[in-house]
Amino acid sequence: MGARLALVESDYPGWEITYTYDGPEWKAVLRRRVTEQMRNLGIVEEIIEADPIDLVAALASQVRRLALVRT
């Protein structure tokens, strides 16, 4: 899991990525405060998925939404 975790972390530096064996679960927490405008665009502070593929898909969606905040 270490290589997968490192890859996801390097692709999404704005998120703190963790993996726990208890679930197993992949978790991403946004490293910045979520504003009301961001929430209105569907941006979340935390994403939890069962596998890295689903986590990356959810992160990609969030990154696209974050780009709307900056424009």
Side-chain angles (χ1 to χ4, degrees), residues 6-24:
L7 181 62
V8 175
E9 287 175 327
S10 69
D11 285 347
Y12 297 95
W15 297 80
E16 181 180 343
I17 312 294
T18 57
Y19 174 79
T20 58
Y21 292 94
D22 295 344

Side-chain angles (χ1 to χ4, degrees), residues 2-40:
R4 288 182 185 173
L5 181 60
L7 181 62
V8 175
E9 287 175 327
S10 69
D11 285 347
Y12 297 95
W15 297 80
E16 181 180 343
I17 312 294
T18 57
Y19 174 79
T20 58
Y21 292 94
D22 295 344
E25 94 180 1
W26 288 81
K27 181 177 176 181
V29 177
L30 188 60
R31 295 181 189 266
R32 62 185 281 190
R33 186 177 59 84
V34 175
T35 65
E36 184 177 341
Q37 177 192 14
M38 294 165 75
R39 280 192 184 86
N40 291 340

Side-chain angles (χ1 to χ4, degrees), residues 30 34 38-45 62 65-66 69:
L30 188 60
V34 175
M38 294 165 75
R39 280 192 184 86
N40 291 340
L41 291 170
I43 296 168
V44 297
E45 296 175 50
Q62 291 293 298
R65 292 175 183 176
L66 281 166
V69 174

